[in-house]
Amino acid sequence: MMLTVHIVAGAFLLLFGIGALSFAKGKSKHRWSGNLFFLSLLIMAGTAAFFNGGATMALLTFYYGTTAWAVVLRKENSVGIFEVLSMCLIVYVSFSLFQFVLTANDIPQTFKVIFTIHASIAALSACLDLKMLLNGGLSGKHRIVRHTWRACFALLGAVMSFSSNTSDSWPDFIDSNALIYLMIGVLFYWLIRLLFTNRYNQLKHCIGSSILIKRLSEARRLMYAK
């Protein structure tokens, strides 16, 4: 039963993740897809934690998904206890993965390389979290970049799991890692587009045209006027 729930949640995670990437950013379809993606991720990671050896990787996916989702909910240049706890979590995960790589002698070298990459990116994430805490938060394009790369990385984890578990079913003329390469390409595409083009200004315009954002801005203006 637990495995069935895990598989179904993973399928929905892939579906809503693709939807969030495909729909216009800042629009309602993107936000709905993102929220459902996050819900599916919680269920998938929660059920994976019960499998043998799955707790650490489940925590890793949980971290990327929750920090991606939370950054768009928190206002610019602000941090709280959630950011402190999430940094402590990823430090623990990074340490656990490095320890596993150094002490495990019965796993293939390819898996050691994969776990080392995960551990290194987790350590980088912890450093970025610490920098954000010391700076008192994020603003502008760097806030959106944090949301984007972490959401993509959470989706990448699901894609890697899907590819590894279905590798025997792929036709010989298709590389079973094709989806992984595609997801990595999508990740770098959005990072480059957000950091080095005017895409952030377009997103800011989309978010600014949201009725909800307008209502919140009006409420804040009235509150300060009083």
Side-chain angles (χ1 to χ4, degrees):
M1 179 62 182
M2 189 70 70
L3 179 60
T4 301
V5 173
H6 176 76
I7 293 173
V8 172
F12 278 113
L13 184 145
L14 291 172
L15 176 65
F16 293 127
I18 294 171
L21 287 172
S22 303
F23 294 129
K25 306 303 176 284
K27 299 296 185 179
S28 60
K29 288 183 179 179
H30 172 77
R31 291 193 292 270
W32 272 104
S33 297
N35 288 331
L36 293 172
F37 167 81
F38 176 66
L39 178 61
S40 302
L41 182 143
L42 291 181
I43 298 173
M44 189 195 74
T47 51
F50 290 95
F51 301 146
N52 183 33
T56 301
M57 296 307 293
L59 288 174
L60 187 70
T61 303
F62 172 80
Y63 164 82
Y64 288 122
T66 53
T67 53
W69 187 70
V71 71
V72 296
L73 299 180
R74 186 176 290 282
K75 64 181 181 179
E76 293 188 343
N77 294 318
S78 63
V79 292
I81 187 64
F82 171 82
E83 285 74 21
V84 176
L85 293 177
S86 62
M87 184 188 70
C88 294
L89 174 63
I90 199 61
V91 168
Y92 165 77
V93 170
S94 178
F95 176 81
S96 298
L97 289 175
F98 275 124
Q99 184 182 42
F100 175 75
V101 170
L102 293 174
T103 57
N105 298 316
D106 56 345
I107 62 172
Q109 185 63 30
T110 301
F111 285 98
K112 282 193 174 185
V113 172
I114 292 174
F115 284 123
T116 300
I117 293 173
H118 275 300
S120 301
I121 296 177
L124 173 62
S125 300
C127 294
L128 292 174
D129 285 354
L130 178 60
K131 180 181 178 182
M132 182 184 68
L133 288 170
L134 294 175
N135 291 338
L138 293 172
S139 63
K141 67 172 62 178
H142 296 289
R143 178 169 167 266
I144 303 302
V145 166
R146 177 182 172 89
H147 166 72
T148 302
W149 85 261
R150 287 165 185 256
C152 285
F153 215 80
L155 182 58
L156 174 61
V159 169
M160 291 177 68
S161 177
F162 172 79
S163 296
S164 64
N165 287 301
T166 61
S167 58
D168 295 336
S169 303
W170 289 69
D172 294 336
F173 61 90
I174 299 179
D175 189 341
S176 61
N177 295 320
L179 290 178
I180 298 176
Y181 302 144
L182 176 62
M183 192 63 228
I184 293 174
V186 170
L187 170 60
F188 280 100
Y189 165 79
W190 277 108
L191 285 179
I192 293 172
R193 192 173 182 187
L194 286 170
L195 287 172
F196 302 109
T197 70
N198 66 345
R199 179 59 179 168
Y200 168 69
N201 293 328
Q202 298 174 13
L203 288 176
K204 186 167 61 173
H205 174 73
C206 290
I207 295 172
S209 63
S210 167
I211 295 177
L212 176 61
I213 295 298
K214 287 182 178 179
R215 294 292 182 267
L216 290 174
S217 298
E218 290 175 2
R220 182 181 298 177
R221 180 177 57 80
L222 291 173
M223 181 179 68
Y224 286 123
K226 293 180 180 180

